[in-house]
Amino acid sequence: MDDMTGLELSPRKIEYIKYLFEKGDNVRTTEISAHMEVDPSTITKAINELASSGYVNHVPYRGFSLTEKGEEYAHFLLRRHRILSLMLNHYGLTAEESCAEVARFEAYVSKKAINTICDSMGHPTFGVCGRIEHDSCNLKHNHHEPHEG
């Protein structure tokens, strides 16, 4: 997904991708509907749109799961959330405040901006919300973890 900008999906569809990633394989419409507090027909429409865009697989009578493209996007979404949360935490917000604030605007921050912020922060490996993965990060330099000796 080298051409991914990070701005492909609406905030609501991002929530669906994150939820499917968290839950794993074969998540049923009713589970998503209950979690998101949205009518099942709304979920079906949005998930079908995600499926036609290649992010989600639909197995009739079994549920939904992420495709490889969906998994890659979910990894980026987690990374984006964690980089932004760590940045806000650095500037004085608590971990909880950082997480909540980022959830309000993260869908509008591009992959390019995240890579630039990540680079300026020295490619942190752990944030206030958990581990930060860098395999999908377009690093300007070869980044190696410091060896403890």
Side-chain angles (χ1 to χ4, degrees):
M1 287 185 56
D2 294 333
D3 57 346
M4 176 182 63
T5 65
L7 306 173
E8 288 81 4
L9 301 176
S10 69
R12 192 53 145 173
K13 286 182 181 168
I14 285 170
E15 289 306 311
Y16 297 151
I17 295 278
K18 283 179 167 180
Y19 184 73
L20 289 171
F21 184 70
E22 180 184 302
K23 296 300 279 183
D25 288 343
N26 298 323
V27 182
R28 296 181 182 278
T29 305
T30 52
E31 288 178 70
I32 304 168
S33 173
H35 177 77
M36 300 287 177
E37 298 179 350
V38 176
D39 188 79
S41 64
T42 303
I43 300 294
T44 300
K45 181 177 183 286
I47 295 290
N48 285 338
E49 288 170 7
L50 286 169
S52 68
S53 299
Y55 294 98
V56 174
N57 285 320
H58 177 218
V59 180
Y61 307 106
R62 303 207 84 188
F64 301 97
S65 62
L66 294 176
T67 61
E68 187 176 326
K69 177 181 177 180
E71 293 254 343
E72 283 182 46
Y73 207 80
H75 281 285
F76 163 73
L77 296 174
L78 284 177
R79 186 171 158 268
R80 175 168 65 186
H81 180 87
R82 290 173 180 175
I83 290 289
L84 292 171
S85 294
L86 183 60
M87 182 182 72
L88 291 184
N89 182 249
H90 175 77
Y91 287 107
L93 274 66
T94 66
E96 294 77 21
E97 290 168 337
S98 297
C99 231
E101 286 299 322
V102 166
R104 297 180 215 273
F105 70 84
E106 65 190 320
Y108 304 104
V109 181
S110 72
K111 181 179 179 185
K112 182 179 181 206
I114 292 303
N115 287 341
T116 302
I117 293 166
C118 181
D119 190 48
S120 74
M121 295 174 95
H123 309 289
T125 57
F126 202 79
V128 296
C129 305
R131 183 165 163 62
I132 299 172
E133 306 268 335
H134 293 289
D135 49 283
S136 65
C137 185
N138 293 333
L139 304 177
K140 291 180 185 171
H141 317 286
N142 280 340
H143 174 68
H144 298 285
E145 294 294 318
H147 289 54
E148 292 183 36

